[in-house]
Amino acid sequence: MVSGSTAIVTGGGRGIGRAICCELAAEGADVVIADIDEDEMAETAALVEEEGVRGYPIHTDLRSFEDVEATVDEALAEFGTIEILVNNAGIAGPTAACEAVEPDEWDQTMAVNLRGPFYMCRQVLPSMKEQSYGRIVNIASVTGKRPLTQRTPYATTKMGLIGFTRTLAAEVGEDDINVNAVCPGSVDGPRIQRVFEEKANASGRTYEAVRSEAEAESPRRELVQREDIAQTVAFLCSSDADRITGQDVNVSAGKVMY
Ligand SMILES: NC(=O)c1ccc[n+]([C@@H]2O[C@H](COP(=O)([O-])OP(=O)(O)OC[C@H]3O[C@@H](n4cnc5c(N)ncnc54)[C@H](O)[C@@H]3O)[C@@H](O)[C@H]2O)c1
């Protein structure tokens, strides 16, 4: 159930996370936005409040356990309960051959994309267990399912996040806590445009060539819109999805079919 719930959305400041915040708000949830970018969080909070619910930004660096602990404590103090957690924040990590990836780049990608969702779940689960209800959605990627060359750190985190999703779902199902992953294909917007630019630079091709190659990977010959992801997240948090858990749902315009 989304209406009347409180949701925490990490990385809700912009992009897919902002679309998720707005969709959950439109369906009647108060939304805690956990991000590092104050200005973008404030913009998302204003959009959320236009839906007649509360938008509550909390500065949270997912790399810091203390930050995550404080964010969840503050959200619980302010709203009383947390029904929905969306682990959306993620970074692209470096685009480079494995042997050219700096150890710190590897660690940073792990810290945001994989350790962050663990920290968030660790802190939110006790209250979800106490209330015997929770809906957790992890934003993975189709890169969690198949290799993506030059992106070993990112692919490893997204594959790990799907493993985390399945394992946690198996652990907490009896408490009416569902844990699912959504796996976007290439989502149109500034982030994927940066990725295409980096890939073009790394491979000596043009931006247009890299983009049309990505579009051609979909049977529909198109990228995905961020609203497609947001609507899937809202569905997984709704009572229509009560018996869906441990799944990794592709929203990729058919780019990946397994
Ligand atoms: N855009 C795509 O094509 C695409 C495809 C597949 C999967 N994804 C996944 O979707 C998610 C969102 O992607 P996006 O394209 O909207 O990205 P984005 O870069 O536009 O937004 C990411 C958000 O996360 C926040 N963030 C970054 N580091 C953080 C940290 N340490 N602590 C807290 N917040 C932090 C940023 O401030 C930003 O608001 C990511 O997990 C990404 O891997 C995106």
Side-chain angles (χ1 to χ4, degrees):
M1 192 180 63
V2 175
S3 182
S5 298
T6 300
I8 302 186
V9 180
T10 72
R14 65 166 185 253
I16 296 169
R18 176 176 287 176
I20 293 169
C21 291
C22 291
E23 183 66 30
L24 294 175
E27 299 207 8
D30 292 321
V31 183
V32 176
I33 304 142
D35 203 302
I36 42 173
D37 191 313
E38 303 276 356
D39 294 341
E40 301 206 275
M41 273 199 290
E43 277 179 39
T44 302
L47 291 170
V48 163
E49 300 226 326
E50 281 176 16
E51 302 290 344
V53 292
R54 291 184 67 194
Y56 191 87
I58 308 180
H59 185 278
T60 315
D61 187 338
L62 290 170
R63 295 169 293 186
S64 155
F65 179 68
E66 289 69 27
D67 262 30
V68 170
E69 193 176 30
T71 293
V72 174
D73 287 352
E74 186 176 339
L76 282 171
E78 191 65 28
F79 292 92
T81 56
I82 298 162
E83 285 77 19
I84 296 170
L85 166 64
V86 184
N87 286 308
N88 161 78
I91 57 173
T95 299
C98 182
E99 67 274 22
V101 171
E102 295 298 332
D104 186 57
E105 294 177 317
W106 177 274
D107 287 347
Q108 291 296 323
T109 315
M110 296 295 141
V112 180
N113 295 6
L114 194 50
R115 206 179 61 195
F118 158 65
Y119 283 170
M120 289 298 305
C121 289
R122 184 185 189 281
Q123 295 313 108
V124 162
L125 278 167
S127 70
M128 285 186 171
K129 284 188 173 177
E130 205 176 314
Q131 72 204 14
S132 295
Y133 184 83
R135 295 291 178 264
I136 298 174
V137 182
N138 298 320
I139 306 301
S141 170
V142 291
T143 301
K145 301 202 168 178
R146 51 105 177 94
L148 184 61
T149 54
Q150 309 285 314
R151 298 285 296 282
T152 46
Y154 182 78
T156 302
T157 61
K158 296 303 185 180
M159 289 177 187
L161 194 55
I162 291 174
F164 179 64
T165 300
R166 292 178 184 168
T167 307
L168 187 58
E171 218 173 279
V172 298
E174 275 184 337
D175 296 299
D176 195 5
I177 301 171
N178 288 351
V179 190
N180 289 292
V182 172
C183 300
S186 296
V187 179
D188 213 353
R191 183 181 194 271
I192 204 69
Q193 287 161 17
R194 276 198 309 277
V195 171
F196 289 160
E197 272 159 21
E198 283 174 22
K199 197 170 176 186
N201 290 339
S203 62
R205 289 178 297 158
T206 63
Y207 170 86
E208 288 70 27
V210 173
R211 186 182 170 103
S212 55
E213 185 183 78
E215 287 170 345
E217 283 177 38
S218 150
R220 296 177 55 85
R221 306 284 184 265
E222 62 179 349
L223 303 182
V224 173
Q225 300 303 314
R226 52 185 69 144
E227 290 72 22
D228 299 327
I229 313 303
Q231 285 159 9
T232 305
V233 170
F235 165 70
L236 289 170
C237 296
S238 75
S239 53
D240 290 336
D242 278 348
R243 270 155 295 282
I244 299 178
T245 193
Q247 304 305 303
D248 31 87
V249 181
N250 300 327
V251 183
S252 69
K255 180 168 151 178
V256 169
M257 300 191 180
Y258 51 88

